[in-house]
């Protein structure tokens, strides 16, 4: 009833928030237990939450409400969970922040082209960057109205919005060129710079085996089959695949 009450979590707690519903929580949680938020609705917190267990967002939206907010424990976003955009108050996390899958700009709830150009700290703290998408200008996504957005390659989770347009990545291509005088088949490959490619061969389109690999330099490059087996008079098929 009165914002600012301290409520101790006696057990690990799960709060399920229905679709199109928003729980604006203005109290303070304490204790060593954790909180799991489920459901497609939104949970917005204001004030520093003192519970030291993990806050796990398994669905819907989580973020800052009307004022500064923080967590004393870890914060985890499951696949598909989103973070509410707040332009002036970052979420301060004393523990670690991690994500179950690639977390990108599209997971920022409430972000649109109407947001002014600038730098916005969404989370301050130790963010695991290995699962972040859209890092740096090369990973920018189009917001519309001549603006792009990406995450700064810096501590915490910082959103950068600036003028610009997104250049579509160069498509991958594989083209048959011919056979050298020595009987070596050779192909032309092209695609985004730094893409690791494995080239497989087959004589029947059923059984495939790797014949070699290449890292694309960002421009068309020729690849020669190091083991053409041309003396066996076997037809050969080629395919290229992107290494994970």
């Amino acid at each position: 009833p009165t914002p600012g009450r301290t409520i101790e979590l006696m057990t690990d707690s799960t709060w399920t928030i229905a679709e199109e519903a928003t729980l604006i929580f203005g109290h303070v949680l304490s204790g060593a237990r954790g909180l799991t938020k489920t459901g497609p609705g939104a949970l917005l917190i204001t004030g520093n939450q003192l519970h030291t267990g993990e806050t796990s967002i398994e669905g819907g939206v989580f973020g800052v409400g009307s004022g500064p907010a923080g967590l004393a424990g870890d914060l985890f976003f499951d696949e598909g969970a989103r973070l509410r955009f707040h332009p002036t108050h970052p979420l301060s996390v004393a523990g670690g922040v991690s994500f179950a899958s690639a977390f990108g700009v599209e997971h920022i709830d409430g972000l649109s082209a109407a947001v002014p150009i600038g730098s916005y700290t969404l989370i301050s703290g130790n963010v695991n960057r290995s699962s972040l998408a859209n890092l740096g200008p090369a990973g920018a996504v189009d917001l519309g109205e001549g603006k792009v957005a990406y995450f700064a390659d810096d501590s915490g989770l910082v959103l950068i919005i600036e003028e610009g347009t997104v250049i579509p990545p160069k498509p991958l291509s594989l083209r048959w060129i011919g056979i050298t005088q020595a009987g070596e088949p050779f192909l032309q490959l092209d695609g985004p710079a730094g893409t690791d490619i494995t080239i497989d061969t087959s004589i029947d389109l059923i059984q495939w085996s790797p014949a070699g690999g290449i890292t694309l330099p960002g421009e068309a490059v020729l690849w020669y089959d190091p083991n053409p087996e041309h003396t066996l008079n076997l037809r050969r098929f080629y395919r290229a695949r992107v290494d994970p």
Side-chain angles (χ1 to χ4, degrees):
T2 304
R5 294 178 61 193
T6 298
I7 304 170
E8 182 177 1
L9 290 176
M10 304 303 295
T11 64
D12 291 331
S13 183
T14 298
W15 297 358
T16 301
I17 303 177
E19 187 174 2
E20 299 184 0
T22 299
L23 172 58
I24 301 175
F25 188 76
H27 305 292
V28 176
L29 298 176
S30 67
R33 298 294 185 169
L35 173 65
T36 297
K37 186 264 173 201
T38 65
L43 170 60
L44 305 181
I45 63 172
T46 299
N48 292 318
Q49 305 302 315
L50 303 179
H51 65 291
T52 55
E54 180 181 80
T55 299
S56 178
I57 312 303
E58 295 188 353
V61 178
F62 176 75
V64 176
S66 60
L71 296 171
D74 296 336
L75 174 62
F76 171 75
F77 284 89
D78 206 348
E79 184 175 0
R82 292 171 292 155
L83 175 68
R84 175 64 58 89
F85 175 77
H86 199 298
T88 57
H89 296 302
L91 177 66
S92 175
V93 181
V97 182
S98 58
F99 311 91
S101 58
F103 187 90
V105 171
E106 72 273 14
H107 293 97
I108 305 302
D109 183 74
L111 179 63
S112 70
V115 176
I117 291 171
S119 174
Y120 301 90
T121 300
L122 306 180
I123 298 178
S124 61
N126 182 21
V127 175
N128 184 341
R129 314 189 70 73
S130 63
S131 294
L132 283 181
N134 309 127
L135 277 174
V141 297
D142 190 9
L143 282 185
E145 299 183 9
K147 298 177 183 177
V148 297
Y150 58 90
F151 294 132
D153 194 5
D154 201 352
S155 60
L157 186 64
V158 179
L159 180 70
I160 305 295
I161 300 177
E162 60 185 29
E163 293 181 348
T165 56
V166 175
I167 300 175
K170 179 185 292 187
L172 292 169
S173 66
L174 171 67
R175 189 161 68 95
W176 169 259
I177 300 298
I179 299 177
T180 67
Q181 290 183 349
E184 299 171 312
F186 63 108
L187 316 171
Q188 178 180 286
L189 296 100
D190 200 1
T195 304
D196 293 325
I197 298 292
T198 294
I199 301 167
D200 296 329
T201 66
S202 173
I203 61 172
D204 58 8
L205 291 175
I206 298 175
Q207 299 294 325
W208 293 87
S209 59
I214 189 171
T215 299
L216 298 181
E219 57 187 11
V221 62
L222 296 179
W223 177 88
Y224 296 85
D225 188 342
N227 185 27
E229 298 181 359
H230 59 279
T231 58
L232 298 179
N233 295 318
L234 293 175
R235 62 183 180 183
R236 304 195 83 186
F237 302 94
Y238 294 86
R239 72 180 182 187
R241 52 188 170 86
V242 178
D243 294 340

